[in-house]
Amino acid sequence: MSVHTRTKRLTVPQLVAMKGQQKIVSLTAYSSAIAKLIDPVVDFILIGDSTAMVGYGRPSTLSMTLEEIIGHTRAVVDSTRLACVVADMPFGSYQESPEQAFRNCAQVLARTGCDAVKLEANTALAPTVEFLVARGIPVMAHIGLMPQFVNVMGGFKAQGLTAESGTRIAEDARANLEAGAFSLLLEGVAEGLARQITEDSKMPTIGIGASPACDGQVLVTEDVLGLGGEPAPRFVKQYADVGGVIREACERYADEVRQGRFPEARHCYGL
Ligand code: KIV
């Protein structure tokens, strides 16, 4: 069984030092229950803004609010003691100016105790990344398919398939690394490009739908467990059908209640 032997929470510099030594394992979590289960297994936990979709049933990540990310991140930090914890900054909470980004990222770090933040950062956002890092905020830069740009892209589409788009993503990677990002998250990026960025980068690359060429992988836990409710993206391997287990258990419960087979009051609370 693949559990690590850590006794203390992994720090950002320790995560960075894993590059070239061992692959980095990550999953998302937004609840205490899942966070506790994955804490002994993963290297870092991401509180993704995908919580808007998998946790709240919304059509995109755009509606996630700062207060929601703070609440979910706090729950994950309070429920774990081993994994490094990275919070996703919601749409609109960092794009306006470096000052706005610092104000909101500082709140996330101070009010949750998480270790770092993740920003969807193209070259235009690199000066913001530099501003944050210079002020004590570790930043993971998310490039490639950036879900907060869904309306610009016209849907969720793999990136880097043309020479022009590949050059743009390589440029986003370079600008964010120069700005001081401690890691790059590559989403929906073709293997050749992911390999080139990973080889050129001193910092770890974490892929999602970006091939084993990356230094590690993050997946949305609901997709891995068969809890997504919808077919998972093609790059996701589903490791369990927890959705099926829950449905079957609930049906058994419903059958028993309908048949009147539930504990009598005198068995509960010592009545
Ligand atoms: O919000 C999220 O879950 C993400 C994934 C791409 C990992 O950013």
Side-chain angles (χ1 to χ4, degrees):
M1 277 296 145
S2 187
V3 289
H4 53 66
T5 52
R6 214 162 278 138
T7 53
K8 286 206 298 211
R9 196 180 288 286
L10 190 76
T11 64
V12 167
Q14 287 168 338
L15 187 72
V16 171
M18 289 174 72
K19 184 175 172 98
Q21 303 300 316
Q22 59 187 110
K23 292 279 187 187
I24 297 171
V25 181
S26 178
L27 285 167
T28 62
Y30 58 86
S31 70
S32 168
I34 294 289
K36 274 186 192 151
L37 287 168
I38 66 176
D39 188 37
V41 180
V42 301
D43 299 310
F44 79 90
I45 298 179
L46 174 70
I47 298 85
D49 60 358
S50 58
T51 300
M53 301 167 82
V54 294
Y56 289 97
R58 302 176 191 155
S60 78
T61 60
L62 298 183
S63 63
M64 198 70 192
T65 67
L66 191 63
E67 283 307 312
E68 286 168 344
I69 277 289
I70 288 174
H72 290 290
T73 304
R74 181 88 200 266
V76 170
V77 172
D78 288 351
S79 309
T80 57
R81 53 181 195 87
L82 302 172
C84 187
V85 177
V86 181
D88 218 355
M89 293 304 291
F91 180 61
S93 70
Y94 61 92
Q95 291 92 343
E96 196 180 315
S97 65
E99 289 78 7
Q100 181 220 22
F102 180 77
R103 208 168 31 251
N104 289 329
C105 293
Q107 271 209 67
V108 170
L109 258 67
R111 290 175 57 194
T112 70
C114 73
D115 301 281
V117 295
K118 172 166 88 59
L119 265 57
E120 293 185 15
N122 52 18
T123 43
L125 266 292
T128 296
V129 172
E130 188 170 4
F131 190 89
L132 294 174
V133 174
R135 285 159 183 76
I137 304 202
V139 178
M140 176 179 283
H142 180 154
I143 61 173
L145 194 175
M146 295 184 282
Q148 292 179 6
F149 285 75
V150 59
N151 291 321
V152 176
M153 294 182 298
F156 299 113
K157 298 178 183 152
Q159 300 294 302
L161 301 178
T162 63
E164 191 193 339
S165 139
T167 305
R168 184 179 45 72
I169 294 169
E171 185 53 28
D172 290 343
R174 192 198 51 75
N176 279 294
L177 289 169
E178 278 180 18
F182 74 86
S183 169
L184 296 172
L185 188 146
L186 309 182
E187 179 166 0
V189 168
E191 178 154 4
L193 182 57
R195 177 166 293 109
Q196 181 207 319
I197 292 174
T198 301
E199 284 173 3
D200 291 350
S201 165
K202 288 200 176 65
M203 299 301 175
T205 58
I206 309 296
I208 173 162
S211 88
C214 297
D215 295 308
Q217 177 172 251
V218 60
L219 288 177
V220 173
T221 298
E222 280 72 4
D223 292 338
V224 169
L225 297 182
L227 273 172
E230 297 184 16
R234 264 189 303 141
F235 56 82
V236 174
K237 178 170 172 191
Q238 190 180 313
Y239 289 81
D241 179 22
V242 178
V245 171
I246 293 177
R247 214 172 16 256
E248 201 207 306
C250 290
E251 282 170 15
R252 280 207 340 263
Y253 165 75
D255 284 347
E256 291 188 6
V257 171
R258 289 196 178 103
Q259 291 161 17
R261 288 167 53 208
F262 46 95
E264 292 171 24
R266 68 192 157 83
H267 291 143
C268 309
Y269 310 109
L271 297 174

